[in-house]
Amino acid sequence: MPRTLSEVVFVDGVRTPFGKAGEKGIYAQTRADDLVIKCIRELLRRQPQLPPEKVEEVAIAATTQIGDQGLTLGRIASLLAGLPKTTPGYSVDRMCAGAMTAVTNVASSIAFGAYDIAVAGGVEHMGRHPMGEGVDPNPRIVAEKLVDPSALVMGSTAENLHDRYPEVTKERCDAFAVGSQTKLAAAYDDGKIQPDLVDVATRHAELGWGLATADEPPRPGTTLESLASLKTPFRPHGHVTAGNAAGLNDGATACLLASEQAAADLGLPAAMRMVNYSFVGVEPEVMGIGPVPATEKALKNAGLSIEDIGLFELNEAFAVQVLTFLDHFGIADDDPRVNPWGGAIAVGHPLASSGVRLMTQLARQFAEHPEVRYGLTAMCIGIGMGGAVIWENPHHADYVPSIQTTTDGAA
């Protein structure tokens, strides 16, 4: 029989401060699953009106699903976070878009009516588990020339993107990177980032016990001059440096999604509504171009154009990847709608966790900009993919809920 799909809303999102991967990083002796657990517990703490048994699914992403990032992480994290044993969970892997995929997966299930409320997020402890640890790529993918060997090295794919789009110069990338650092520093000064963060108790062999309260990777005060002299590790005389790309990082994110009806029934805030999403495949050698066709497909499916998008949260895996996106859609490098609080070049990119960071920041920005109706979160994905999610701002004058509520919040 015919059925009506439910509207899906993003209720709230949180993340740990992002750390630098390695023995000196803040999370060097912190388990990856404990980072996720901290985020889930914080979501529940922030929404006391939500009975834990109402959470019907937990989907957690990790790119390297091994050790403390393995063993069906969504289920393990759910149990350790204090959710009831009746709450199921699972793991997701779509490399950098893991958390984004966890969100779209559970949103689709909510829309279909399989359940009403779910947690989605991601974690990457690149210090404990470097990308590619323990993997065994089938040699036929290279031997049969399905891909060039450079497709398996993300920095090399960024250099390939520079080859294909020579107008995206190293100078432009460095300038974009400086802008990311500057915007993040300003956002911290203005108190924009702190509401998203969950403090994490840490322990370090040399420093002892500590408390992570702010991101570790940012380099405020970065200048064009300081970036110009950095090495290009992926190619002699190349373009990609540690200054115009995201680093190797540790961190976790989680968010709460609900049907619009369930959110209204429980008095949960609707920070934004999911409009449409898309994942596409592209040539693995230039994976950074992936957000372009993914965005085009999502816009087409939603009946919108790029001019309808008033805020962009684009993952800055590499500056060249963002700039090719902006060039394609005719958007200036310094457009204030793009990553207004900085991006991954400054804050870090713990792979599978980053998608929810983009969404959480967009939700906060929607609340500050009721004049903006639609926003976009998009990212490139290793092995040649792109992902994009379009969201609607419930604070906009033209937003129409699919349900009517009374003044006390009951449907």
Side-chain angles (χ1 to χ4, degrees):
M1 60 183 292
R3 59 177 295 121
T4 301
L5 297 180
S6 299
E7 296 288 358
V8 180
V9 296
F10 183 101
V11 174
D12 194 12
V14 298
R15 66 178 179 89
T16 68
F18 290 168
K20 294 180 179 179
E23 294 182 358
K24 296 183 179 180
I26 54 177
Y27 299 130
Q29 296 189 14
T30 302
R31 290 179 60 95
D33 47 12
D34 282 335
L35 296 176
V36 175
I37 292 160
K38 188 73 175 179
C39 291
I40 297 174
R41 287 176 174 171
E42 178 65 10
L43 284 175
L44 296 174
R45 187 193 70 79
R46 293 189 184 198
Q47 305 299 333
Q49 68 274 46
L50 173 63
E53 63 272 16
K54 291 289 188 180
V55 178
E56 299 171 272
E57 186 69 278
V58 177
I60 300 296
T63 300
T64 306
Q65 297 194 6
I66 193 170
D68 53 345
Q69 292 183 176
L71 197 61
T72 314
L73 187 55
R75 172 62 169 171
I76 296 297
S78 169
L79 291 171
L80 290 169
L83 289 170
K85 294 179 181 178
T86 52
T87 302
Y90 65 99
S91 296
V92 176
D93 175 16
R94 204 197 295 259
M95 297 193 76
C96 298
M100 177 177 280
T101 303
V103 166
T104 57
N105 279 2
V106 301
S108 297
S109 296
I110 291 171
F112 192 73
Y115 41 77
D116 288 318
I117 298 173
V119 169
V123 64
E124 211 72 51
H125 200 306
M126 301 182 75
R128 281 177 174 264
H129 307 296
M131 185 169 62
E133 179 191 15
V135 303
D136 181 19
N138 194 310
R140 291 192 297 109
I141 195 170
V142 173
E144 297 179 8
K145 302 189 184 305
L146 297 176
V147 301
D148 182 85
S150 65
L152 303 179
V153 180
M154 298 305 102
S156 296
T157 68
E159 291 285 10
N160 293 342
L161 202 58
H162 274 288
D163 292 342
R164 188 163 296 191
Y165 299 94
E167 65 273 17
V168 182
T169 63
K170 181 178 181 299
E171 291 71 24
R172 281 181 66 188
C173 289
D174 286 351
F176 184 84
V178 169
S180 183
Q181 297 283 355
T182 302
K183 288 188 287 186
L184 178 65
Y188 258 110
D189 288 344
D190 293 340
K192 306 293 188 184
I193 304 298
Q194 292 88 336
D196 298 346
L197 302 181
V198 183
D199 294 346
V200 179
T202 62
R203 182 182 181 278
H204 196 280
E206 297 178 2
L207 303 178
W209 292 98
L211 189 66
T213 61
D215 296 304
E216 191 177 22
R219 299 181 297 276
T222 296
T223 64
L224 285 172
E225 291 73 23
S226 64
L227 295 185
S229 60
L230 294 179
K231 296 180 180 178
T232 58
F234 302 104
R235 180 185 297 178
H237 311 293
H239 300 78
V240 180
T241 72
N244 59 34
L248 304 179
N249 306 112
D250 307 329
T253 60
C255 68
L256 194 64
L257 298 154
S259 68
E260 195 171 35
Q261 184 67 63
D265 290 346
L266 292 168
L268 300 172
M272 52 188 186
R273 180 185 73 88
M274 183 177 288
V275 177
N276 210 288
Y277 68 86
S278 171
F279 294 97
V280 302
V282 297
E283 296 171 72
E285 294 83 359
V286 286
M287 66 95 192
I289 201 65
V292 170
T295 297
E296 290 179 328
K297 183 176 181 180
L299 288 169
K300 180 180 179 181
N301 290 344
L304 300 172
S305 70
I306 198 67
E307 287 75 23
D308 292 311
I309 305 300
L311 284 167
F312 296 82
E313 278 294 328
L314 308 176
N315 192 46
E316 298 171 358
F318 302 95
V320 62
Q321 167 254 316
V322 179
L323 292 174
T324 53
F325 178 99
L326 299 181
D327 282 358
H328 178 85
F329 288 109
I331 301 170
D333 293 6
D334 59 352
D335 192 306
R337 298 173 299 165
V338 177
N339 297 359
W341 297 348
I345 289 173
V347 77
H349 174 30
L351 301 183
S353 69
S354 288
V356 166
R357 179 189 69 80
L358 303 177
M359 296 170 189
T360 301
Q361 290 194 182
L362 180 63
R364 305 272 189 258
Q365 292 157 14
F366 270 168
E368 292 188 4
H369 293 280
E371 76 280 6
V372 172
R373 184 169 185 181
Y374 297 106
L376 176 80
T377 54
M379 56 200 317
C380 61
I381 309 167
I383 319 299
M385 294 178 282
V389 187
I390 299 172
W391 302 88
E392 185 177 12
N393 187 356
H395 308 285
H396 190 272
D398 293 331
Y399 179 80
V400 179
S402 63
I403 58 172
Q404 299 299 316
T405 60
T406 62
T407 55
D408 63 1

